[in-house]
Amino acid sequence: MTSTDTRPTAGPDPSPRRASAWTALKPLILRLHFYAGILIAPFLLVAASTGLLYAASFQIEQVAHRHELTVPVGEQRLPLSQQVAAAQAARPDGKVTAVRTPEAADASTRVLMDVPGLPESTQLAVFVDPYTGQVRGTLDSYGGSGALPVRAWISNLHRHLHLGEPGRLYSELAASWLWVVALGGLTLWVTRRRGTRRLRGLLAPDRSLPGARRRLSWHGSVGLWAVLGLLFLSATGLTWSTYAGENVGEVRTALGWTTPAVTTSSGDHAAHAGEGVHQHGGTAVSVDQVARAGAGKGLSGPLEIVWPAEPGAPYVIKEIDKTVPQRLDQVAVDAGSGQVTAVLRFSDYNLAAKLTQWGIDGHMGLLFGLANQIVLMLLAAGAITLIVLGYRMWWQRRPTRGFGEPYPRGGWHRLGWAVLVPLILLVTAVGWFLPLMGLSLLAFLAVDVLLGLRARATQQEGA
């Protein structure tokens, strides 16, 4: 939220001490909001635009790959083992790694294979008609989400602009600053409007105001409605980032907040049972027996049955329904005996692991289905609106030449040490935890100093 109004806040302050602290802090918040709004907003604009497209990618995927994903509804489904055999016959060069059961009566079965020549984190998905065993086609399947080519392309556009690892810096920079811009804008808007007696003055724009003041009113109101969602997107987006994401992972590990995994060690019995059995999967039981074992523990579709990674390892059956109410239980099934050796219920996750799962699924638009996607689209549209309004206000009040005079500098001189020292420590800690934010903040400070020196030199020449 790029605020550009410098008029004093309306209404009396509740206490002289608070007024003094806010008088000193406001110029700092204004300048930070100004620089972040001008220099980081382009990255936020790209992230919001590509995020808006990603929120619709599930429907786009269904349309683009309709032939592979849907089948005519038949009377009775074939055993999974026959469907897997059909996929192996169609692609004998592939090694089966998993099978995803149909999500609906008219959905195909997805058999995942490792095939030579595919990019990292990519498998070949063979789509099989569960009623006839006919192979309807093959497509690349990306990552754990199983994104097909269209959705994977959109996802990578949002993630790194198809520039690979260097491109991820743009999204990390956007996520690192989004919460700062949002909270700064919220603070400026609420304090500016605190003299307004009616709640409507905060929540709704004042259409009776002229020109720039009306745009500021829209900017503040839209930001107020969007702020919680923007904070959520910033926090969850950082978990996928390169540098900040690594720090988040270390904190989660240190605090024991990592997501648990079902035990895949079946002991000596499984190791001996896996000896001398057939090539594909290295198991003595069929996938149909594995599926029945999972059903006996209450697992219901859609499911992903993961083949043993090595001789002696078990099958792992995962519920993959991420919409509320979620079905995310897992069981391990001994590859030699077909017996369940371990069970992991989503209800047994610790709270931090549940919050992480809900955050990721909410960010991706999975948690509440279509409603989740619509909310994400509205948030993306709101962010785009805020950025456009912010640039419009800045452009209208820009100076004739130069970068543009931001808000008065030197506000930190009026901060007492009791406020300044904790503030410096806080900023240092945040800059260390969010490295790209810390480096860009140093760049802002350098630009600010250079502009100040130039302004001083101009004044001295004029004198």
Side-chain angles (χ1 to χ4, degrees):
M1 293 181 286
T2 312
S3 176
T4 58
D5 192 272
T6 58
R7 286 182 293 274
T9 57
D13 289 310
S15 71
R17 179 172 296 181
R18 288 187 179 179
S20 177
W22 173 243
T23 300
L25 280 172
K26 183 178 180 180
L28 294 178
I29 297 175
L30 282 169
R31 290 182 69 75
L32 184 63
H33 196 65
F34 173 83
Y35 278 123
I38 295 296
L39 301 177
I40 301 299
F43 300 97
L44 293 173
L45 183 61
V46 173
S49 301
T50 56
L52 178 62
L53 181 61
Y54 182 79
S57 65
F58 297 92
Q59 284 72 28
I60 296 173
E61 180 179 72
Q62 288 292 325
V63 173
H65 304 304
R66 183 176 182 82
H67 176 74
E68 290 84 2
L69 292 171
T70 59
V71 300
V73 179
E75 294 182 359
Q76 186 174 358
R77 291 178 178 174
L78 298 173
L80 277 176
S81 56
Q82 291 187 29
Q83 299 178 50
V84 172
Q88 290 175 314
R91 291 302 302 256
D93 58 329
K95 179 182 178 181
V96 176
T97 58
V99 57
R100 289 192 170 194
T101 60
E103 299 181 7
D106 63 345
S108 57
T109 299
R110 190 180 307 194
V111 180
L112 300 176
M113 294 181 171
D114 278 337
V115 175
L118 288 179
E120 185 180 0
S121 300
T122 303
Q123 295 179 305
L124 182 71
V126 182
F127 296 88
V128 180
D129 186 326
Y131 302 101
T132 65
Q134 177 189 3
V135 173
R136 297 184 63 82
T138 62
L139 293 169
D140 289 351
S141 176
Y142 176 79
S145 68
L148 300 179
V150 168
R151 183 156 62 93
W153 188 92
I154 296 174
S155 175
N156 287 330
L157 178 67
H158 179 60
R159 187 183 183 195
H160 53 55
L161 303 179
H162 293 284
L163 299 175
E165 286 300 311
R168 293 180 65 185
L169 299 181
Y170 112 85
S171 57
E172 181 169 353
L173 190 63
S176 297
W177 277 99
L178 178 56
W179 67 275
V180 178
V181 177
L183 287 179
L186 174 67
T187 302
L188 294 172
W189 179 246
V190 171
T191 54
R192 172 184 171 81
R193 304 292 292 178
R194 66 177 179 269
T196 303
R197 296 182 179 180
R198 298 177 60 186
L199 185 60
R200 177 180 172 81
L202 280 175
L203 299 178
D206 189 346
R207 299 181 182 181
S208 65
L209 294 174
R213 294 180 63 190
R214 183 173 65 252
R215 281 184 285 275
L216 176 61
S217 181
W218 274 98
H219 185 83
S221 297
V222 172
L224 185 63
W225 281 100
V227 65
L228 289 180
L230 296 179
L231 293 176
F232 167 79
L233 293 177
S234 176
T236 52
L238 286 172
T239 62
W240 280 296
S241 62
T242 302
Y243 300 107
E246 183 177 347
N247 290 335
V248 171
E250 291 178 356
V251 170
R252 291 182 60 203
T253 301
L255 297 177
W257 291 353
T258 54
T259 301
V262 68
T263 302
T264 57
S265 176
S266 300
D268 294 336
H269 171 72
H272 292 299
E275 296 176 356
V277 293
H278 63 81
Q279 177 182 0
H280 286 286
T283 67
V285 299
S286 70
V287 66
D288 303 303
Q289 291 174 281
V290 173
R292 286 194 293 271
K297 292 298 180 179
L299 270 66
S300 57
L303 302 174
E304 180 177 272
I305 304 175
V306 182
W307 259 237
E310 58 187 15
Y315 283 93
V316 175
I317 311 176
K318 305 177 182 179
E319 292 180 327
I320 54 175
D321 185 0
K322 297 185 176 183
T323 58
V324 172
Q326 292 178 306
R327 290 180 290 176
L328 295 174
D329 295 346
Q330 302 179 33
V331 300
V333 178
D334 187 278
S337 66
Q339 300 297 313
V340 173
T341 59
V343 178
L344 175 63
R345 304 291 184 188
F346 182 69
S347 59
D348 294 331
Y349 281 28
N350 59 59
L351 179 60
K354 288 180 179 178
L355 291 175
T356 300
Q357 184 69 55
W358 292 332
I360 291 173
D361 294 341
H363 190 111
M364 295 181 66
L366 299 171
L367 191 58
F368 301 106
L370 181 60
N372 198 159
Q373 293 174 260
I374 292 174
V375 169
L376 290 177
M377 292 178 188
L378 291 175
L379 283 174
I384 294 170
T385 301
L386 291 170
I387 293 168
V388 171
L389 286 173
Y391 272 120
R392 177 73 184 277
M393 290 185 291
W394 170 74
W395 183 257
Q396 288 181 328
R397 65 181 295 273
R398 74 193 189 285
T400 304
R401 297 178 181 178
F403 173 77
E405 179 63 28
Y407 297 95
R409 55 176 57 86
W412 65 273
H413 290 292
R414 289 177 285 177
L415 286 175
W417 286 107
V419 176
L420 186 59
V421 172
L423 182 62
I424 292 174
L425 293 176
L426 176 63
V427 171
T428 302
V430 172
W432 173 84
F433 193 76
L434 307 177
L436 290 190
M437 178 187 170
L439 291 174
S440 54
L441 180 58
L442 290 176
F444 292 171
L445 293 174
V447 170
D448 195 44
V449 169
L450 291 175
L451 290 176
L453 293 175
R454 189 184 71 171
R456 184 179 302 175
T458 303
Q459 292 175 354
Q460 290 176 351
E461 290 176 1

